[in-house]
Amino acid sequence: MTLRPILIHPDPRLKKACPPVTEITDDLMQAAEDMLETMYDAPGVGLAAPQVGLLARMFVMDCVKDPEAAPRPMVLINPAVTWTSAETNVYEEGCLSIPEQYAEVTRPAEVRVRWTGLDGKEQEEHFTGLWATCAQHEIDHLDGKLFIDYLSPLKRQLITRKMEKLKRDRARG
Ligand code: ZN
């Protein structure tokens, strides 16, 4: 397994709608493993393929926050939300592509998601709590949407400027 560099906003690859996965190749399985390792290393609870420059509808997540509990690494290919609750939830979101910036985002509190697993089998699950927020945040990535797109233009611009500066500073070393 290899850690893959995470793209930092703004980056045109983070704004693209990703095409569906048509075949589960060895390369894709390798990418999924690498993404999980990269996510745990960051650390984060979710990571979408475009965040590592792979334009494909796939993301990984593990929202088990209790260090005593067993991890639950999940790989979701071609995920689709099939049901959302009317009830909403406000969560202070962050993103590995927008380091150290957090803001409250309102989303449906619960969702059902259908996806294809690495074994090629279709699965469906009802997510609540952080799992529901994370799944929606990651599916947004596959449509070229970031959590800051839910904020006011002013807040979004402020965060984007900070990220541009961060990238300039990193480029200088
Ligand atoms: Zn994100």
Side-chain angles (χ1 to χ4, degrees):
M1 287 199 283
T2 319
L3 294 181
R4 300 201 181 195
I6 298 173
L7 301 181
I8 303 297
H9 165 76
D11 187 297
R13 288 166 288 182
L14 294 172
K15 301 302 291 177
K16 291 218 163 83
C18 299
V21 172
T22 53
E23 196 188 347
I24 299 168
T25 60
D26 288 349
D27 279 354
L28 192 82
M29 295 215 264
Q30 186 60 58
E33 277 192 29
D34 291 350
M35 282 167 58
L36 278 168
E37 198 192 10
T38 303
M39 178 190 79
Y40 285 123
D41 177 74
V45 295
L47 184 67
Q51 292 181 275
V52 293
L54 177 63
L55 296 183
R57 299 190 79 80
M58 175 169 80
F59 73 88
V60 298
M61 70 171 168
D62 182 349
C63 298
V64 176
K65 288 210 122 175
D66 179 0
E68 304 287 304
R72 192 190 174 201
M74 297 188 75
V75 178
L76 294 88
I77 297 166
N78 297 336
V81 174
T82 57
W83 174 85
T84 56
S85 64
E87 188 199 335
T88 57
N89 188 23
V90 181
Y91 196 88
E92 188 169 65
E93 295 189 23
C95 180
L96 294 178
S97 292
I98 310 172
E100 284 163 43
Q101 303 298 319
Y102 303 91
E104 289 189 340
V105 177
T106 305
R107 300 183 189 269
E110 302 183 13
V111 289
R112 275 194 85 77
V113 180
R114 184 185 297 150
W115 73 95
T116 303
L118 272 182
D119 57 3
K121 287 187 185 140
E122 279 225 344
Q123 301 180 40
E124 192 164 11
E125 191 168 323
H126 185 118
F127 291 111
T128 62
L130 180 57
W131 290 91
T133 295
C134 183
Q136 293 174 80
H137 174 120
E138 300 310 327
I139 290 171
D140 273 354
H141 272 298
L142 307 183
D143 294 319
K145 195 167 182 182
L146 303 171
F147 83 89
I148 55 170
D149 293 330
Y150 293 94
L151 311 180
S152 70
L154 190 68
K155 268 193 194 162
R156 186 161 60 240
Q157 211 169 52
L158 208 72
I159 290 177
T160 299
R161 292 220 182 97
K162 279 185 191 165
M163 291 302 106
E164 282 167 342
K165 182 177 184 306
L166 176 78
K167 286 169 83 164
R168 280 198 304 273
D169 291 348
R170 283 190 182 180
R172 274 195 217 105

